[in-house]
Amino acid sequence: MINISNGFKELGLSDETLHAIHAKGFEKPTEIQKKIIPLILENKIDLIGQAQTGTGKTAAFALPIIQQLETRAGHIQAIVLVPTRELAIQVSEEFNSLRGHKSLHVAPIYGGQSYDIQLRHLKKGVDVIIGTPGRMIDHLNRKTMSIDKISFAVLDEADEMLSMGFLEDIEDILSKTNPNRRTLLFSATMPERISQLAKKYMGEREIIRTVKSGKTTDLTDQIYFELKESDRFNALCRIIDTTAEFYGLVFCRTRSDVDFIASKLLDRDYDAEGLHGDLSQTVREKILTRFRNKKINILIATDVAARGLDIDELTHVINYALPQDPEAYVHRIGRTGRAGKEGTAVTFITPEEHRKLMFIKNFTRTEIRKERIPHIKDVIDFKKEKISSELKEMIESGVSSNYVEFSKELLGNNDPEAVVAALIKHTYQNELEEESYVKIYDLFETKVSNEGGKSRMFLALGKRDDLNVKELLNMLQKKANISPDKVSGIQIFDAYSFFNVSQKESEIVLEKLNSRDRNKRPIVGRAKGR
Ligand code: AMP
């Protein structure tokens, strides 16, 4: 069997499970995995884990559960309750990739998917169900699913499920399970309602906490964009186009990606070159010299090719593709924000890569902010601004008389505005026209709001806290000085609410409504995009 002792073996995992971990590419266990896996494998008691997304908590419960399930049991052996359909899909994918060759049938069950597909799975026999509470209840009521012989019930992101109003459903589901099951509850926060739920439905239990990550502050501002795969290239152009003196390193995965991006940038007249492992030392040196001397301001590279590259003044490091592991991320972004200069690290992810990025964020213990991709209008405004300030500078420093003569000729009897407009068009072609730019489907904006440029906010107060529209507007006016006409899309539910404000105002709301006391839970946040 495999002979890697990378920290997983010591946790009591079998060779079969170790193989699956190896195939998945995990190199060493995370903190929560180290703490929880042995407990689930050895103990017979219940468990509460306080852990956020990105800590590796899914694998922490999935691995020991998979190892302990029987093949061909002929009944559902484990259920995992999750708050959203996205999570149901992701957790079931994680289970499937971690079960390796073990013959277990894992199926997600969530609202919005056709009953037919779910019934087909259920008829075939499922070992692990990952489900949202509502749809699970539907199946239990229709008697298309029974969960009275399970070994494990997992409540994942329990605090989130409670704030979405799933308490009754969860209680209903648990009451239909066998009492000798083991219950594992995971939650990022531990409000009183979670303790009550645990008291009611869990037996003897242990509580495991992971250390909260501390922020590191340095000169690198870390942001990420969530976009469609096909929009990566245009997003890169928008960043370059809206940076005054872009001088950056763009990381991608393969040599062919390097060639592809470099040649597309050249096609669009950017000063870019690609660097990859297959280049001769002479060519490599030539390219690096050109980059150092700023003859080119964009260098595309793979991790391997960028090894040993030591340049201090980079404005940007762009993760065009996510790095393989957190160490590579740290290594990549460490190339900007050096020598006392501020820099920005930008990471592109597709929605499927969200959890991977959260893992990196947790591991590196830094803050990576979600941002919106610059709009086409931002790019055009930026270019116009640049043109006018360059023109101003030229006028101030005096233009040679040759040009002044020619300009008099051009103006002649023409309308001066028309002449300048024609000159701009002649010089910049279609660069200042919106139609010349490819549209990007910004998942940040489309997800959080249906109104362009607005942020959808989540407030942890609802009807049961006596909140109504008027109260909400009053609160925003009083605490954040935001007038009611700036607020839209208000929805008030029992335990929480949503509303939209502009990007700028969303920052003010976050700052003013949340307590400065770090131990207090924030009451307002951006509505989750996942
Ligand atoms: P989670 O916290 O469960 O949402 O996991 C976040 C991401 O980290 C997922 O993409 C996992 O596949 C990944 N992950 C979990 N454990 C490890 C590990 N030990 N090494 C590397 N990646 C991991």
Side-chain angles (χ1 to χ4, degrees), residues 311-326:
I311 289 166
D312 271 347
E313 292 165 32
L314 297 181
T315 59
H316 284 77
V317 164
I318 301 206
N319 294 310
Y320 192 88
L322 260 187
Q324 292 294 347
D325 49 59

Side-chain angles (χ1 to χ4, degrees), residues 76 78-83 109-110 129-141 145-150 152-156 161 165-179 181 183 197 201:
I76 295 172
I79 57 167
V80 182
L81 296 182
V82 296
I109 296 274
Y110 52 85
I129 294 270
I130 324 282
T132 50
R135 185 55 70 96
M136 294 272 281
I137 290 280
D138 284 351
H139 280 288
L140 290 170
N141 289 344
M145 178 173 102
S146 78
I147 51 172
D148 53 5
K149 292 195 189 100
I150 58 170
F152 292 96
V154 182
L155 308 180
D156 193 13
M161 288 200 282
F166 282 139
L167 178 64
E168 262 175 43
D169 288 351
I170 294 172
E171 295 195 320
D172 209 4
I173 294 167
L174 290 178
S175 70
K176 291 188 165 61
T177 62
N178 41 311
R181 61 156 206 272
T183 310
L197 183 73
Y201 290 96

